[in-house]
Amino acid sequence: MKEYTIALAGNPNTGKSTLFNALTGLKQHTGNWAGKTVTLASGYYRYKNIPLKIVDLPGTYSLFSNSEDEEVARDYIVFEKPDVTLLVLDATSLERSLNLALQVLEMTDQVLICLNLMDEAKKKGLKINAKQLSKNLGVPVIPISARNREGLDVLSDTLLKMCSGTIKTKPYKMKYREEIEAKIIKLEKELSEILGPDYPARWLAIRFLDGDSKLIAALKNKLASNGEGGGVHGSTTALGRSGGGHSC
Amino acid sequence: MDQQQRLDALAAVTPAEELDHIRESIVSNLFQKSRELCSKSVVIQDKNQLYKSEKLDRIFTSKVWGFPIMLGLLGVVFYLTIAGANVPSSMLANFFGWVEGYITLAFTAMNAPEWLHGLLVLGLYRGTSWVVSVMLPPMAIFFPVFALLENYGYLPRVAFNLDRLFKKSGAHGKQSLTMAMGFGCNAAAIMSTRIIESPRERMLAILTNNFVPCNGRWPTLILLASLFMAVGFTGGMHTLVTAFVVMGMVLFGVIITLLVSWMLSKTALKGTPSHYTLELPPYRKPKMLNTILRASLDKTIYVLRRAVKVAAPAGVLTWVLANIYIGDTSILLHFVQFLDPFGQLLGMDGFILMAFIIGMPANEIVLPILLMGYLSTGALTEVEDMAALKQIFLDNGWTWLTALNMMLFSLLHFPCGTTLVNIFKETKSWKWTFVAFAIPTVIAIGVTFAVAQVIRGFGWV
């Protein structure tokens, strides 16, 4: 049976590792502070007898090449192409979370959003309209509370439907200022000619425009390893260095 | 390849001087959109509740109250640990002593040879029993309490308070976070230094991480402090003084961290600290039962298992070394006697240095090996209670200076084997791994030597 791969992405300290533990039954160390997870950890679970592999990405505020953990998370989403990228948003500080969400939506269509810490948000007197958010972003939005194990079944259900293609998404793509848009569109056309349909051309165009030299290097690396028959599983340099597990 | 060249041609699409402008424009568009989306789907019902975290932060990270609260909390944690651990420790020790009687009876009934009883019961069993009775209770209290503070969200506030000090010593503010991680496990903390972007500042964090006591060293510090440091006091005062001594050790470790960072940043690792934003997460009420259970089970069992796993073979090895004779002294004693003059110079003895050296793979086993070393040389004290444990030390010529310097050496000495391996993995340099070994070792020797000379010079022991 096909095994699906799910990447967990989100801001630091939004409970990604807690959700990871709740789903996989593993005991990845969790704590209330930013930067707890600095490497990729993966675990497995079965839902309705379908095997799912969950990869816990480092928490980041953006996906520009600012530091090693941002590169690790970004390269995984773009180059390893998980079946679904599960974005964990902090319901108590949605604005900051959405910033990252908009960037991920540019990178891949297969995005599922879960609003974690709904219990905290409620305590803080925040009322969040998940349906409205889902309509605006064009992807499913599931409210959950990972540490109370609330909403996990709905989440797994939706995950599976997305993996099997039953749910089709139409993610919102960021629009930028006119002069930038014009440049993006021109670049996007050239890039999709060069790279074909396997890469998110619009997002890459924005990165080229932004002069993100580390991403360009990673992309060339990836293409070279594919050319040598490395296949889709050839890992990029950034990933290769950080595949280690957690000690302690 | 043609594809690669075409990509290269596109790589410099934006002239360098416009890059900042483009990034800024992209980011501000993103922020705008996030705000817009947020206002469409979020309703704020109670402003007071929303700003509760900010209000608490004004107290916890205030210039006036930040440090006193921090020290107070640390003190409370130690007080609870020390006050709570005594009785269960004695009970466990009693229990193991009682069981030992029956095991010995069984050995006699089976006509087992004397040496087998010595190896298995006097070496292995007694060593392991002491480890469990001495280490289990303090850990079972300390780890859950610490985990509650961590899950509540207090650790980043500690980092925030210490941030200024680290900046002043030329290090990165995030080093306060990796240091906090070191209180759990230095080996894991070395990996966590990846959150520091600048290689210079990351190296500072790696080289100084060892100066905060990890899981494996807490029990040693707490035990020695409670046995030797508050002798003149009884009851509650005794616990209080002990807690103060352990707290003093931690503070001393932090001061050494800052001093070494400062000295390195003025010499081998010159540079100015880079800017960063430290996020203060919201305070969250921890899931009490869950946190307590997970901390006790995961951490306590983990440390204990590691200790017993390494301590059991080490116990056998120590017993064997102590019972194989070259001439009229055992191998162990040869080794100990060789180290003894140096140990005495540092206010300790040859056994203690031997324990630190054999205990290199894991800090958890230093104390067990020391006990086995003492037990194997005739001072065969049965596992009874804490007074009996102290008697073992006293019989081997300990004074409060010995205890103090062993605590200092434990706090400052070379990183454990696992940590060194991780340092090598992260730095990929033999040179820096050696430096990470040498700096703490030199400091540990220097400090204990100085303390021993001063205290003996004044004739206080």
Side-chain angles (χ1 to χ4, degrees), chain B residues 360-379:
Chain B
M360 176 109 176
N363 280 306
E364 286 87 340
I365 62 169
V366 171
L367 198 62
I369 291 182
L370 177 63
L371 282 172
M372 288 173 203
Y374 284 149
L375 291 179
S376 66
T377 50

Side-chain angles (χ1 to χ4, degrees), chain A residues 38-197:
Chain A
V38 286
T39 53
L40 296 173
S42 57
Y44 294 85
Y45 85 109
R46 280 176 170 274
Y47 187 74
K48 299 202 169 145
N49 223 14
I50 311 269
L52 298 165
K53 180 187 179 188
I54 310 277
V55 179
D56 193 8
L57 302 178
T60 57
Y61 292 109
S62 75
L63 290 167
F64 308 122
S65 305
N66 286 332
S67 63
E68 200 175 313
D69 38 351
E70 289 190 7
E71 284 165 39
V72 169
R74 184 202 61 198
D75 290 353
Y76 193 86
I77 297 173
V78 176
F79 297 133
E80 302 296 308
K81 296 200 190 80
D83 291 291
V84 173
T85 300
L86 177 55
L87 250 175
V88 185
L89 304 192
D90 181 350
T92 62
S93 49
L94 197 58
E95 196 176 316
R96 190 175 58 190
S97 293
L98 281 172
N99 209 342
L100 178 75
L102 290 170
Q103 293 178 49
V104 175
L105 289 174
E106 286 181 320
M107 295 158 73
T108 162
D109 287 350
Q110 285 290 85
V111 178
L112 170 60
I113 289 178
C114 68
L115 281 174
N116 193 20
L117 299 165
M118 284 302 282
D119 52 328
E120 282 291 317
K122 205 171 155 194
K123 264 191 234 151
K124 287 191 154 194
L126 291 171
K127 217 179 146 186
I128 300 168
N129 188 340
K131 282 218 179 85
Q132 177 70 39
L133 198 60
S134 170
K135 220 173 90 194
N136 290 143
L137 294 175
V139 297
V141 175
I142 318 281
I144 66 163
S145 165
R147 58 182 207 164
N148 295 325
R149 311 186 68 93
E150 282 163 17
L152 297 187
D153 277 347
V154 184
L155 181 69
S156 296
D157 236 34
T158 322
L159 261 178
L160 218 55
K161 280 185 187 148
M162 282 194 66
C163 286
S164 61
T166 322
I167 296 182
K168 289 265 185 293
T169 55
K170 207 178 170 315
Y172 170 82
K173 299 287 175 193
M174 266 302 289
K175 293 276 175 300
Y176 297 96
R177 272 191 308 134
E178 252 171 69
E179 48 165 301
I180 296 185
E181 265 312 312
K183 285 182 194 163
I184 293 176
I185 290 168
K186 189 165 158 281
L187 261 175
E188 184 185 351
K189 203 162 150 274
E190 284 185 65
L191 282 167
S192 63
E193 265 169 34
I194 302 174
L195 299 167

Side-chain angles (χ1 to χ4, degrees), chain B residues 32-310:
Chain B
Q32 239 169 0
K33 186 69 193 172
S34 303
R35 195 165 310 140
E36 183 197 316
L37 284 168
C38 211
S39 65
K40 276 186 195 160
S41 48
V42 180
V43 184
I44 299 170
Q45 290 172 318
D46 183 354
K47 280 228 159 103
N48 261 333
Q49 277 295 322
L50 195 60
Y51 296 113
K52 219 166 145 189
S53 264
E54 283 78 354
K55 276 183 199 152
L56 276 171
D57 273 339
R58 238 168 275 155
I59 305 168
F60 281 148
T61 62
S62 96
K63 283 200 171 143
V64 186
W65 296 110
F67 274 94
I69 291 177
M70 206 160 75
L71 294 178
L73 279 174
L74 198 64
V76 169
V77 172
F78 290 141
Y79 186 89
L80 286 176
T81 307
I82 295 158
N86 261 331
V87 175
S89 271
S90 293
M91 278 166 59
L92 275 173
N94 267 323
F95 170 75
F96 284 120
W98 175 75
V99 172
E100 190 191 303
Y102 288 96
I103 298 179
T104 305
L105 277 182
F107 269 81
T108 326
M110 286 185 297
N111 283 323
E114 193 61 32
W115 65 266
L116 191 68
H117 179 256
L119 177 69
L120 291 182
V121 179
L122 304 182
L124 188 65
Y125 178 81
R126 270 193 191 171
T128 319
S129 317
W130 273 122
V131 181
V132 175
S133 19
V134 163
M135 288 174 68
L136 182 61
M139 283 194 298
I141 301 170
F142 179 78
F143 291 152
V145 177
F146 202 77
L148 282 177
L149 275 182
E150 181 183 349
N151 284 7
Y152 180 58
Y154 186 67
L155 282 194
R157 274 77 194 181
V158 172
F160 184 90
N161 287 334
L162 292 175
D163 173 71
R164 263 170 293 153
L165 297 177
F166 276 100
K167 281 256 172 66
K168 268 190 198 143
S169 61
H172 196 288
K174 276 191 199 165
Q175 193 176 326
S176 50
L177 274 177
T178 60
M179 185 184 81
M181 193 96 166
F183 282 116
C185 171
N186 298 123
I190 296 298
M191 307 224 330
S192 80
T193 58
R194 288 183 188 176
I195 59 174
I196 300 175
E197 291 92 20
S198 128
R200 179 192 79 89
E201 290 155 343
R202 189 171 165 206
M203 191 61 79
L204 283 176
I206 289 177
L207 293 180
T208 56
N209 189 271
N210 195 51
F211 297 124
V212 289
C214 62
N215 286 344
R217 292 184 277 168
W218 285 117
T220 308
L221 294 182
I222 293 173
L223 179 80
L224 292 183
S226 70
L227 285 185
F228 284 92
M229 289 298 139
V231 179
F233 304 91
T234 49
M237 265 317 274
H238 180 267
T239 314
L240 202 62
V241 173
T242 311
F244 270 121
V245 172
V246 179
M247 206 160 86
M249 282 289 154
V250 174
L251 288 182
F252 186 62
V254 174
I255 290 169
I256 294 284
T257 304
L258 291 167
L259 265 180
V260 173
S261 299
W262 180 76
M263 283 194 286
L264 283 172
S265 73
K266 290 279 172 275
T267 52
L269 293 165
K270 251 188 210 138
T272 46
S274 48
H275 287 282
Y276 82 110
T277 38
L278 174 71
E279 188 211 3
L280 294 179
Y283 292 97
R284 287 175 193 148
K285 201 173 144 212
K287 309 255 336 159
M288 283 293 187
L289 200 64
N290 197 319
T291 307
I292 290 173
L293 280 180
R294 171 150 288 171
S296 344
L297 291 178
D298 282 9
K299 280 199 189 165
T300 313
I301 304 289
Y302 171 82
V303 174
L304 205 62
R305 205 168 55 199
R306 207 165 107 119
V308 173
K309 220 164 38 187
V310 196

